[in-house]
């Protein structure tokens, strides 16, 4: 978290100039902090304070740090200073990895828009032995086609903040701090999540996903930006799938995320990673 450390360096340097009685009065670069809290800052500052080249008689690392945090006269004041003054600057200084790097399909978000609208090749195509790769050679293999996402997840997305794609109409106005995607077709065999099997051309045609959601109500007017169908209709599914009723929605598989109102809460800062 080098950018977080740089922010702490700047703020502590400014605070030092305001506190004439402190012992360590130069700026510091704290690298390797895993969180922005008073406790993590104090731990890093204590290491610096106890270095053999530092001589600070008659005080402790915490007392000396407090002089740079306001100066603070109580633990609660020191904690509040870190939370209100230091952490926001540290978080704001961190760059976000562009969301389009996950799919690696270009920088214009055209593919991402089609995917979240349910209209991309990843949504609709099913593996076949009779595709563009030639007869007898698999085409449209979902795992192969989307391998860039797994690479991204194991790489940048595991260490950096990923942009939340608010430029897409699908995520432009999430007033409830909730986003979710639902799938109504299984097109990946042998993953234990639906009834698609191999060989694909005979055993994975219009197959159902693993059913993990009870869909009760659909307001079609809320999906116009994605479906491009100007509909104000509604569907109510009053029955559960298990009774095979015509009033049930059928198998549907959904995943969603939720995040806090505080933009600096980790659930908010990392919602793009999810």
């Amino acid at each position: 978290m080098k950018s977080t450390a740089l922010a702490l360096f700047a703020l502590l340097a400014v605070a030092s100039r305001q506190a004439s009685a402190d012992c360590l009065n130069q700026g510091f670069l704290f690298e390797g902090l895993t969180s922005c809290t008073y406790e993590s800052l104090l731990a890093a500052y204590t290491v610096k304070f106890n270095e053999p080249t530092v001589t600070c008689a008659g005080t402790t690392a915490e007392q000396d740090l407090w002089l740079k945090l306001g100066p603070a006269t109580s633990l609660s004041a020191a904690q509040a200073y870190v939370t209100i003054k230091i952490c926001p600057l540290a978080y704001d200084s961190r760059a976000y990895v562009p969301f389009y790097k996950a799919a690696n399909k270009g920088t214009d978000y055209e593919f991402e828009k089609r995917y979240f609208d349910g209209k991309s090749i990843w949504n609709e195509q099913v593996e076949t032995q009779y595709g563009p790769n030639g007869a007898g050679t698999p085409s449209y293999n979902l795992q192969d086609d989307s391998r860039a996402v797994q690479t991204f997840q194991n790489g940048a997305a595991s260490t950096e903040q990923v942009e939340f794609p608010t430029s897409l109409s699908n995520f432009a106005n999430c007033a409830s701090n909730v986003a979710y995607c639902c799938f109504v077709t299984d097109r990946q065999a042998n993953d234990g999540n639906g009834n698609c099997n191999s060989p694909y051309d005979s055993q994975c045609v219009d197959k159902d996903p693993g059913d993990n959601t009870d869909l009760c109500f659909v307001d079609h007017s809320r999906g116009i930006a994605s479906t491009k169908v100007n509909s104000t209709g509604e569907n109510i599914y009053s029955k559960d799938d298990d009774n095979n009723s015509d009033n049930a929605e059928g198998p549907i598989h959904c995943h969603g995320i939720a995040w806090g109102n505080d933009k600096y809460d980790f659930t908010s800062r990392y919602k793009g990673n999810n």
Side-chain angles (χ1 to χ4, degrees):
M1 286 188 159
K2 190 170 184 178
S3 53
T4 300
L6 290 174
L8 296 179
F9 168 89
L11 278 167
L12 288 180
V14 170
S16 294
R17 291 195 294 270
Q18 296 172 346
S20 59
D22 56 341
C23 178
L24 299 180
N25 54 18
Q26 74 271 30
F28 306 105
L29 176 63
F30 295 128
E31 296 185 283
L33 297 183
T34 58
S35 62
C36 188
T37 64
Y38 170 78
E39 289 72 23
S40 63
L41 178 57
L42 174 60
Y45 191 82
T46 300
V47 172
K48 184 70 176 178
F49 185 88
N50 290 327
E51 288 182 352
T53 56
V54 175
T55 302
C56 293
T59 188
T60 66
E62 186 165 36
Q63 290 171 339
D64 195 61
L65 177 60
W66 281 16
L67 293 173
K68 298 169 177 61
L69 303 180
T73 58
S74 67
L75 176 60
S76 60
Q79 292 171 329
Y81 190 95
V82 172
T83 300
I84 298 172
K85 297 291 187 180
I86 292 181
C87 292
L89 181 58
Y91 293 141
D92 289 342
S93 69
R94 296 199 68 196
Y96 280 82
V97 178
F99 188 82
Y100 61 72
K101 289 194 173 183
N104 196 28
K105 294 286 188 179
T107 63
D108 59 4
Y109 286 96
E110 179 182 353
F111 176 83
E112 287 77 9
K113 177 58 179 170
R114 285 189 282 113
Y115 175 76
F116 286 115
D117 285 350
K119 301 174 182 177
S120 78
I121 190 172
W122 289 0
N123 303 92
E124 298 178 347
Q125 296 293 330
V126 178
E127 183 176 323
T128 177
Q129 297 286 328
Y130 306 97
N133 291 338
T137 302
S139 298
Y140 305 125
N141 179 276
L142 181 60
Q143 187 174 37
D144 289 342
D145 292 349
S146 61
R147 195 172 301 279
V149 176
Q150 188 65 57
T151 301
F152 181 76
Q153 181 182 8
N154 295 337
S158 66
T159 58
E160 304 295 331
Q161 294 179 145
V162 178
E163 166 203 27
F164 192 69
T166 53
S167 60
L168 301 179
S169 60
N170 313 71
F171 305 102
N173 183 23
C174 297
S176 299
N177 292 4
V178 173
Y180 64 93
C181 293
C182 294
F183 305 86
V184 295
T185 303
D186 182 21
R187 50 163 300 204
Q188 179 71 55
N190 305 318
D191 62 358
N193 193 22
N195 58 7
C196 166
N197 293 302
S198 57
Y200 281 85
D201 288 294
S202 60
Q203 300 298 317
C204 192
V205 179
D206 193 24
K207 293 300 183 178
D208 298 324
D211 189 7
N212 71 346
T213 301
D214 187 12
L215 181 66
C216 301
F217 175 80
V218 175
D219 180 354
H220 293 282
S221 66
R222 300 292 297 274
I224 293 175
S226 298
T227 65
K228 302 300 187 293
V229 177
N230 189 17
S231 172
T232 58
E234 300 173 346
N235 285 99
I236 298 175
Y237 302 102
S238 58
K239 302 296 183 180
D240 186 76
D241 294 327
D242 293 337
N243 61 20
N244 296 316
S245 169
D246 289 338
N247 292 322
E249 76 277 10
I252 183 171
H253 190 89
C254 299
H255 290 280
I257 60 172
W259 57 92
N261 290 322
D262 182 356
K263 71 175 184 177
Y264 296 121
D265 185 82
F266 76 95
T267 60
S268 182
R269 290 186 291 111
Y270 289 99
K271 59 182 179 290
N273 296 62
N274 289 322

